[in-house]
Amino acid sequence: MNIIKSDYILTIDDEFRIIKNGAVAYEKKIIEISSSFQELKQKYPQAEITECEKDSVLMPGFVNAHIHLEFSKNRTTLEYGDFLPWLYSVIEKREELIDGCSSECYEETIEEMLEFGITSFGAISSYGFDMNSCAKAKQKVVFFNEVIGSNPAAIDGFFTDFKARVNSSEELKSETFFPAVAIHSAYSVHPVLVRHVLKIARENRYRVSTHFMESKAEREWLDRSQGEFKQFFKDFLKIEKASSDPISFLGLFESLEPIFVHAVYANEEELAIIEKQKAHIVHCPVSNRLLGSRPLNLENIKSKEIPFLIATDGLSSNFSTNMFKEMRAALMQQSCLDLHLLSRDLLIAATKNSANALGLNCGSIEEGKDADFAVFKLPNSVENEKNLPLQLILHSNRADSVYILGEKIF
Ligand code: BEZ
Ligand code: FE2
């Protein structure tokens, strides 16, 4: 048994309780939360005690639900500003970036996420090159084996390769490593291949993620087989028409409670389907800005029963995996939303909503949840706790300590 005491406990429970001078008793899971450190100590006299430094915030570790580790090598290589120029640059530099990033490079990114207080993440893996590093990670990892391929003649080959990766990830399954599947997108995966992959997801109860309506180009291609993707598909794949329409694509995900990444250009009809499917939307504001998307209409998403997540996306479309930087970007971008309410919503998005979407028993400090914590020391105290979410987002970077399944990692 252990007890940890902190000046502020940000529970992220349903009441968004912030407990001052509270303490948490835990083993692998959280056993009890108390506003009285003394009472908890008396109740569990054998417990090992940790007292966090003054002005520390104890909170659930972050859950970064969407990252592409295989592109971790990118810093200044890729073209930003618009989606198609970025995609062309990914294709051109793919080998250089992928070959330039081996286990060491994935593990550096994984380690840095830990330093940022990220205790779980969802890794979108295109090739499986990052699989062993993810299986060895100290964090919990939901490992999304991704399928891509719009060429109908090559479906069998893509599917065989996908199944081999799924089988390898099954062999690595553990208390902290969970195989899952990702469909790259509606424009890049043939609907027949989507069906095959989702059948496997249903049979194995895998979590499912897909990019959806990330760019204006995607909207125009899927609606009318027009726009900037027209030339792209003609040149690279000799394809003249989109093989999916967005409504039938979404329909394929029924009953999977899927994770739709971006949804910046999703329309009302599509959002109604997403809501009905009890699906989740992942918001990646930095990635959206760098790849030339408009800002997500978060006010509209919030008016529906669609839980939203915040994630960093890969270093192919971000300069950092720091969740605080991502939340600050959202705070600046979503300027029509109340600053304090948005700060609370972002912290929920980065913890509880992300854990729920990934099917993990963490993301809040509540009895029975896994003891996955991050501790951040504020520069000074915050008198009015209404200001704590905002001040935490503005002033935190690296965690002072991190715990996963009750074990202190650093
Ligand atoms: C494909 O592999 O078919 C594809 C990849 C990226 C964008 C579009 C299509
Ligand atoms: Fe992505």
Side-chain angles (χ1 to χ4, degrees):
M1 174 74 72
N2 306 275
I3 292 176
I4 184 164
K5 184 224 167 260
S6 180
D7 283 1
Y8 306 93
I9 300 174
L10 187 61
T11 60
I12 321 270
D13 65 8
D14 289 342
E15 284 81 49
F16 202 85
R17 269 191 314 152
I18 296 171
I19 303 169
K20 274 192 172 172
N21 299 312
V24 178
Y26 65 94
E27 286 176 333
K28 235 167 142 164
K29 289 188 194 304
I30 296 167
I31 291 164
E32 193 169 337
I33 302 142
S34 173
S35 53
S36 166
F37 175 46
Q38 293 311 329
E39 274 176 29
L40 210 58
K41 269 204 303 192
Q42 275 161 17
K43 188 162 173 190
Y44 304 106
Q46 315 293 346
E48 199 171 298
I49 308 286
T50 303
E51 288 191 54
C52 298
E53 275 186 62
K54 188 176 174 311
D55 300 328
S56 288
V57 178
L58 171 69
M59 64 173 289
F62 286 119
V63 180
N64 188 7
H66 187 81
I67 179 163
H68 305 257
L69 285 168
E70 288 164 323
F71 287 91
S72 293
K73 198 73 189 171
N74 178 60
R75 293 294 181 276
T76 57
T77 305
L78 297 176
E79 184 77 26
Y80 290 149
D82 204 355
F83 193 77
L84 261 292
W86 173 80
L87 185 58
Y88 280 108
S89 77
V90 170
I91 292 167
E92 190 193 334
K93 306 287 186 183
R94 204 189 66 93
E95 253 172 65
E96 179 185 319
L97 291 174
I98 300 286
D99 294 350
C101 196
S102 55
S103 310
E104 212 174 274
C105 153
Y106 307 135
E107 285 156 29
E108 262 172 37
T109 308
I110 291 171
E111 193 60 32
E112 190 167 43
M113 281 200 280
L114 203 52
E115 288 169 22
F116 291 140
I118 296 168
T119 51
S120 301
F121 61 88
I124 310 294
S125 174
S126 307
Y127 311 98
F129 298 149
D130 51 348
M131 193 184 292
N132 285 318
S133 301
C134 284
K136 280 197 320 202
K138 297 186 188 91
Q139 291 102 322
K140 292 180 187 141
V141 184
V142 177
F143 190 76
F144 290 97
N145 293 287
E146 187 180 55
V147 69
I148 186 165
S150 54
N151 179 0
I155 289 174
D156 287 351
F158 294 137
F159 190 48
T160 304
D161 169 73
F162 165 80
K163 280 188 293 187
R165 286 184 281 125
V166 170
N167 290 340
S168 306
S169 65
E170 269 295 326
E171 280 167 29
L172 295 168
K173 202 169 176 173
S174 73
E175 193 179 34
T176 57
F177 181 82
F178 310 94
V181 304
I183 306 287
H184 179 262
S185 73
Y187 62 84
S188 59
V189 189
H190 195 278
V192 170
L193 186 53
V194 176
R195 278 203 178 83
H196 288 340
V197 169
L198 293 185
K199 184 165 180 281
I200 292 195
R202 285 195 172 85
E203 285 165 2
N204 294 280
R205 300 175 154 270
Y206 288 146
R207 302 304 300 129
V208 176
S209 173
T210 185
H211 297 107
F212 184 70
M213 287 299 168
E214 179 175 10
S215 65
K216 188 159 173 258
E218 177 176 350
R219 179 85 263 167
E220 289 175 340
W221 175 248
L222 293 179
D223 282 349
R224 299 181 286 112
S225 298
Q226 291 294 335
E228 288 183 78
F229 264 123
K230 194 175 170 70
Q231 198 65 40
F232 176 92
F233 274 98
K234 202 168 174 203
D235 293 348
F236 279 98
L237 294 140
K238 314 256 172 296
I239 288 174
E240 298 281 347
K241 263 185 159 8
S243 57
S244 258
D245 71 88
I247 300 296
S248 3
F249 177 76
L250 289 178
L252 300 175
F253 293 83
E254 188 60 46
S255 82
L256 288 165
E257 300 186 10
I259 300 169
F260 293 109
V261 184
H262 304 308
V264 170
Y265 290 87
N267 62 29
E268 285 304 305
E269 191 185 1
E270 290 153 2
L271 291 174
I273 296 171
I274 290 172
E275 183 173 29
K276 204 165 135 269
Q277 288 182 343
K278 296 187 170 40
H280 316 258
I281 285 180
V282 181
H283 182 33
C284 307
V286 173
S287 174
N288 292 158
R289 178 71 179 113
L290 294 181
L291 306 193
S293 291
R294 68 185 182 196
L296 177 71
N297 187 344
L298 200 52
E299 193 175 14
N300 189 35
I301 305 289
K302 276 168 47 60
S303 73
K304 304 175 195 304
E305 296 279 314
I306 305 176
F308 87 92
L309 284 50
I310 188 158
T312 63
D313 215 335
L315 290 169
S316 37
S317 57
N318 206 328
F319 52 90
S320 173
T321 60
N322 184 337
M323 296 286 275
F324 285 114
K325 288 188 182 169
E326 204 61 41
M327 288 189 274
R328 281 175 221 144
L331 278 182
M332 302 304 145
Q333 214 174 60
Q334 301 291 331
S335 52
C336 62
L337 294 173
D338 176 85
L339 191 61
H340 294 288
L341 286 178
L342 180 58
S343 299
R344 284 170 62 140
D345 284 344
L346 290 170
L347 287 166
I348 297 168
T351 53
K352 183 197 264 180
N353 287 358
S354 295
N356 286 345
L358 294 185
L360 299 173
N361 182 43
C362 55
S364 60
I365 298 186
E366 291 176 282
E367 283 169 25
K369 291 282 178 185
D370 291 347
D372 294 0
F373 308 132
V375 178
F376 297 96
K377 188 179 163 5
L378 292 168
N380 297 107
S381 63
V382 176
E383 226 167 84
N384 182 346
E385 67 200 41
K386 168 184 169 253
N387 296 321
L388 188 81
L390 173 65
Q391 296 297 359
L392 176 69
I393 293 172
L394 294 178
H395 291 288
S396 313
N397 276 306
R398 292 189 190 256
D400 285 279
S401 50
V402 158
Y403 299 76
I404 297 172
L405 288 166
E407 196 184 317
K408 186 170 184 176
I409 309 293
F410 67 82

